[in-house]
Amino acid sequence: MKKELKEQTENVKKKVRNLGPLKIILLLLLAAGTICSYVFHDRIFPADSVFNRGITDSEFLNGLLAIVPKLIQAVRIITIVLVITSIVLAILNTVFHKNQRQITVIRLINNLVKCVVAIALVISVLAIWGIDTTALITGAGVVTLIVGLGMQSLISDVVAGLFIVFENEFNVGDIVTINGFRGTVVSIGIRTTKLEALGDIKIINNSDIRGILNQTINPSVAKSLIDIEYGESLERVEEIIKTKLPEVKIEGVHGEICYDGVATLGASGVTLQFTANCYEGDIFSVQREMNKRLKLMFDENGVGIPFNQLVVHMPKEENGNKKKSK
């Protein structure tokens, strides 16, 4: 668990380091332009500035010049908001990466912040260009109400996603089974949840999630079933297990491997059951290693493991007639 959490944290740091020189240069240029816009504010934005007083005889050129202050204002607002948002999110992502719960909440906050910031920037830029944003917001509210009535499934997904996060039903990195699909939770979004298994990504709408089986809250149990021949003395075999089993050490097992006793009496052998506690992500590798090590332990101590056998009855001749043997 701690190992996977550390890997996730390292991946986040790598993404931050791999922003790319072009993005960094662009951000620096925007920041420098914003600072210059404040330094030369009195020369750019007043009504008698070179951009607003119409210095040419061409109305087209004068119109283009008049657009420049608005463009500078728009770029300034976008730069300031993006820089502040990036810093806040970077701090949150760095500080709150101690456990899976924090990682899940931070990812959801990132998605919400990006949506809110994008909407706020659009409204701010439109206000700079002289568009009545009050009427726009009012109209958007009416449109949202109308659209919301026809998008009830989307609203259900969003509400279900919020309940999943705040009720802590499962977190990013947990291994869960949802609707019969077992996988690792890659992300919990506003609308969907993504599970990964063997390289495949399963995308499930949050409102469709039913009957969650979270397999990482408590240690899982790896089970190994091994048959011995009916001819073997069970007392002798159990004495061997008592002596040799504590020497079997397997990576990923929490504690000792336990011998649970006789599981079933099969058609060709007696089935013995062995169990061990482990992390759910290691359960299959632990089971394979248990089968291998227990088989070697039995081989070293002369314990026979049966295999399926087929008994064939051949007819035998008696007084010139063939008679089937019983």
Side-chain angles (χ1 to χ4, degrees):
M1 181 75 71
K2 293 182 179 180
K3 183 179 179 181
E4 290 191 357
L5 196 58
K6 185 177 180 181
E7 290 178 355
Q8 291 175 353
T9 305
E10 291 298 326
N11 290 334
V12 173
K13 293 180 180 179
K14 287 180 181 178
K15 290 180 181 179
V16 174
R17 290 195 295 264
N18 295 334
L19 287 175
L22 292 178
K23 292 183 179 179
I24 295 175
I25 292 173
L26 179 61
L27 186 61
L28 291 175
L29 289 175
L30 289 174
T34 301
I35 294 173
C36 292
S37 69
Y38 280 103
V39 173
F40 300 102
H41 183 274
D42 294 337
R43 297 184 181 183
I44 298 175
F45 298 103
D48 59 347
S49 69
V50 67
F51 298 104
N52 294 321
R53 65 171 180 253
I55 59 176
T56 67
D57 296 332
S58 173
E59 294 184 0
F60 178 73
L61 292 177
N62 290 336
L64 290 178
L65 289 174
I67 292 174
V68 173
K70 295 180 180 180
L71 287 175
I72 293 175
Q73 280 185 305
V75 171
R76 185 164 66 180
I77 290 176
I78 292 173
T79 302
I80 293 173
V81 172
L82 289 180
V83 169
I84 293 175
T85 303
S86 300
I87 293 174
V88 171
L89 291 180
I91 293 173
L92 290 176
N93 288 330
T94 303
V95 174
F96 297 100
H97 263 85
K98 297 179 181 179
N99 54 54
Q100 292 178 324
R101 169 70 172 165
Q102 293 181 359
I103 292 173
T104 303
V105 173
I106 286 300
R107 289 189 180 181
L108 182 61
I109 290 175
N110 285 344
N111 293 332
L112 290 173
V113 168
K114 289 176 182 177
C115 292
V116 172
V117 168
I119 295 172
L121 284 178
V122 170
I123 294 174
S124 300
V125 171
L126 291 177
I128 291 173
W129 288 89
I131 298 175
D132 187 1
T133 55
T134 304
L136 182 63
I137 293 173
T138 304
V142 176
V143 172
T144 302
L145 178 61
I146 296 173
V147 174
L149 295 176
M151 300 178 65
Q152 295 182 8
S153 61
L154 176 60
I155 297 173
S156 299
D157 291 335
V158 174
V159 174
L162 293 175
F163 276 109
I164 287 172
V165 172
F166 292 111
E167 289 184 358
N168 199 23
E169 295 176 353
F170 57 87
N171 297 304
V172 173
D174 286 352
I175 298 176
V176 299
T177 299
I178 299 176
N179 302 337
F181 185 88
R182 179 186 180 277
T184 303
V185 180
V186 177
S187 68
I188 302 175
I190 298 176
R191 191 176 65 86
T192 62
T193 294
K194 296 180 181 179
L195 304 182
E196 179 184 8
L198 301 176
D200 297 327
I201 301 294
K202 176 77 170 181
I203 302 174
I204 306 173
N205 289 349
N206 290 332
S207 60
D208 292 334
I209 295 176
R210 298 286 187 277
I212 305 167
L213 177 61
N214 193 331
Q215 298 170 270
T216 50
I217 295 178
N218 297 316
S220 298
V221 178
K223 184 184 295 185
S224 177
L225 299 174
I226 298 184
D227 291 350
I228 62 171
E229 296 176 348
Y230 275 109
E232 291 286 351
S233 171
L234 185 59
E235 290 79 6
R236 185 181 79 88
V237 173
E238 290 185 337
E239 187 63 30
I240 293 173
I241 292 173
K242 182 178 179 181
T243 305
K244 299 295 183 180
L245 187 60
E247 300 176 3
V248 178
K249 303 297 181 182
I250 297 176
E251 184 178 358
V253 172
H254 302 162
E256 300 291 337
I257 300 175
C258 298
Y259 167 60
D260 300 327
V262 177
T264 58
L265 299 176
S268 59
V270 179
T271 303
L272 306 183
Q273 178 173 301
F274 299 84
T275 55
N277 292 330
C278 65
Y279 173 58
E280 177 64 24
D282 299 330
I283 190 168
F284 297 118
S285 61
V286 169
Q287 285 177 342
R288 290 191 295 268
E289 189 64 19
M290 282 176 63
N291 291 335
K292 173 185 174 181
R293 299 292 294 276
L294 293 173
K295 171 65 166 62
L296 293 175
M297 183 185 74
F298 284 169
D299 289 346
E300 292 172 357
N301 292 274
V303 178
I305 295 178
F307 51 87
N308 291 332
Q309 302 181 36
L310 179 63
V311 178
V312 179
H313 294 277
M314 299 295 294
K316 56 184 179 179
E317 297 182 3
E318 182 176 342
N319 298 326
N321 296 322
K322 292 184 178 180
K323 183 179 179 180
K324 292 184 179 178
S325 62
K326 294 182 180 180

